[in-house]
Amino acid sequence: MKEMKGSIQGVERFDSPGKGRGLRVTKPFKVGDLIFSCPAYSCVLSAKERGSYCEYCFNRKEGLARCGKCKKACYCNATCQRADWAMHKLECSAMVAFGPNWCPSETVRLVARILAVRKTQKEKHPSEKLMLIGEMQTHVEDVDNARREMNEADIAGLHRFYSKHLDFPDHSALLALFSQVACNGFTVEDEELSHMGTAVYPDVALINHSCLPSVIVTFKGTTAEVRAVTPMKRGDEVLISYIDILYPTDDRNSRLRDSYYFTCDCQECRTQSKDKAKLKVRKRSDPYEPEVVSNMVRYARKKIGDELREMCVQSLDEMGAVFDDANVYMLHMMYQAMGVCLYLGDWDGAIHYGEKVLKPYSVLYPAYSLNVSSMYLKLGRLYMGLEKRSQGLSALKKAMAIMEVAHGKDHHYIAELRKEMK
């Protein structure tokens, strides 16, 4: 895409009524069109994914070469290793020195890299065409005590693990930076929505939220790509969803207030048109009292936050006695049960719960939802593994139809999927 210095062709920054800064398109875009791409200002691979992905380019492959000193960071080749040294040297000797006691959070690791980039930066980063990283919202004044304590612990970890290689700004500046990362950082995910790492993209951070998003953000390596999922005409605002939009309106806005300090006023939040389907309750000749249903909702929310090992069939049976399978809290219970089955190697059980989740997902999520495509992928791969080829191919084709819009037809995930299907 041809771009002018200080601008991105096809989009512009503007003052969005009631939202502050935002992005809007300056020409029409069709569904699936790439609106713009943005390299990461800074990114960090999850420690859990070391050995599976290249530390520098986030490429997934077998036979990665390990760093000769720390024996932990892995790379495609010497080129990636050299390119990543400016960032990896922040951690390499510390990992050796601290051994098993080296345990900074992923956020601490990302902030350390942001500080390192700032130190060496001579001009605007390619990810700052429309907004500098320092302009990102902080919401320091809105942070609650729990988040403030977490930020303080992260600052202590930053000093403990990175003082050898970094000079730190004052305490208030660090608090602001950690708050910026919390509000503006992106989780980098693979095609099945598994967490690969965390990154900051200043220009993408300009995009405002809507529960009826017009675009979707996916990742090609460490680069963020913004694609249209609805037809857009000149002047339309570029909007993504900051949260899982499967939840009903009150729940969505509670999550938005907790994490991003605002309440959404989009058309879906005003009309609450899908809430009835999302909170569907079984019809019975002897219906439950409203407070019983309310208690079950709270119970479901609690269970959703528990570790997978605490999921059990009994919980599902108890929920199923009250809620229809399409109820969003029941869906999350079944999704977690699918994860338990996969962890235990029970593929038939995983398919059972996946199939129960998929149909309501297809109705309640938008047409080009990654949540739906990832579920088709999981099921397709399970079917193929159990030699149910016809069902497997059908599911993988449905996943591909969504992914070609969300990721683009030239994405390496699409190429890998075509090989799987052959």
Side-chain angles (χ1 to χ4, degrees), residues 81-98:
Q81 187 170 8
R82 283 193 297 269
D84 192 51
W85 177 243
M87 295 296 106
H88 180 53
K89 71 179 181 182
L90 300 173
E91 300 180 346
C92 188
S93 59
M95 284 194 288
V96 175
F98 282 95

Side-chain angles (χ1 to χ4, degrees), residues 44-338:
V44 60
L45 182 73
S46 171
K48 293 180 181 179
E49 296 300 336
R50 281 183 162 150
S52 300
Y53 293 87
C54 175
E55 198 91 11
Y56 175 69
C57 69
F58 284 26
N59 186 31
R60 177 177 58 201
K61 63 183 291 187
E62 295 180 2
L64 294 169
R66 292 187 180 276
C67 170
K69 184 175 182 180
C70 69
K71 312 294 185 186
K72 296 198 180 286
C74 297
Y75 299 96
C76 296
N77 47 45
T79 301
C80 282
Q81 187 170 8
R82 283 193 297 269
D84 192 51
W85 177 243
M87 295 296 106
H88 180 53
K89 71 179 181 182
L90 300 173
E91 300 180 346
C92 188
S93 59
M95 284 194 288
V96 175
F98 282 95
N101 294 319
W102 188 83
C103 55
S105 70
E106 198 164 302
T107 302
V108 168
R109 296 175 62 210
L110 180 60
V111 166
R113 291 172 181 233
I114 292 172
L115 292 172
V117 173
R118 280 182 174 178
K119 183 178 180 181
T120 58
Q121 194 174 351
K122 305 297 183 190
E123 56 186 25
K124 282 201 303 184
H125 192 272
S127 65
E128 298 177 297
K129 288 184 171 66
L130 300 176
M131 183 170 73
L132 300 175
I133 190 168
E135 294 181 86
M136 296 191 307
Q137 284 280 5
T138 65
H139 290 288
V140 170
E141 67 282 0
D142 299 315
V143 172
D144 60 21
N145 289 334
R147 168 54 67 178
R148 190 173 292 108
E149 289 176 7
M150 191 179 300
N151 286 343
E152 293 287 359
D154 278 342
I155 289 173
L158 185 69
H159 282 280
R160 180 186 181 194
F161 295 110
Y162 292 92
S163 57
K164 182 178 178 180
H165 293 285
L166 290 172
D167 297 321
F168 304 112
D170 63 38
H171 193 75
S172 61
L174 284 178
L175 281 174
L177 181 53
F178 274 100
S179 294
Q180 283 178 314
V181 169
C183 291
N184 299 278
F186 281 80
T187 297
V188 182
E189 297 171 323
D190 67 10
E191 75 276 31
E192 288 193 5
L193 300 187
S194 294
H195 179 103
M196 291 195 296
T198 311
V200 172
Y201 304 92
D203 287 342
V204 184
L206 271 171
I207 303 175
N208 285 316
H209 165 84
S210 173
C211 300
L212 295 170
S214 58
V215 304
I216 194 167
V217 179
T218 54
F219 304 94
K220 183 177 283 185
T222 60
T223 297
E225 297 188 327
V226 181
R227 283 188 165 77
V229 291
T230 62
M232 300 183 71
K233 62 183 185 298
R234 181 176 179 175
D236 283 349
E237 184 167 6
V238 180
L239 297 166
I240 58 174
S241 178
Y242 292 179
I243 56 169
D244 188 343
I245 56 178
L246 183 68
Y247 291 97
T249 303
D250 288 346
D251 202 324
R252 291 197 310 274
N253 275 297
S254 176
R255 291 163 190 263
L256 287 169
R257 285 190 294 271
D258 287 346
S259 299
Y260 302 101
Y261 313 105
F262 72 89
T263 299
C264 183
D265 190 39
C266 71
Q267 181 181 349
E268 178 57 33
C269 286
R270 291 194 299 270
T271 64
Q272 303 183 16
S273 63
K274 294 184 178 180
D275 282 7
K276 186 175 181 180
K278 292 178 178 181
L279 292 170
K280 195 172 182 182
V281 178
R282 291 187 188 279
K283 293 181 179 179
R284 290 174 170 269
S285 57
D286 183 17
Y288 283 84
E289 294 297 321
E291 59 268 24
V292 175
V293 176
S294 178
N295 289 337
M296 291 301 291
V297 170
R298 285 195 293 272
Y299 171 75
R301 288 175 178 167
K302 177 180 181 297
K303 282 292 181 184
I304 290 165
D306 287 344
E307 294 294 329
L308 285 177
R309 58 185 170 79
E310 296 182 14
M311 174 61 70
C312 62
V313 174
Q314 181 182 356
S315 300
L316 289 165
D317 289 342
E318 291 172 0
M319 289 297 298
V322 175
F323 291 121
D324 188 275
D325 288 347
N327 180 279
V328 293
Y329 301 107
M330 187 67 185
L331 288 177
H332 278 283
M333 297 281 281
M334 290 190 290
Y335 183 85
Q336 287 202 350
M338 182 183 183

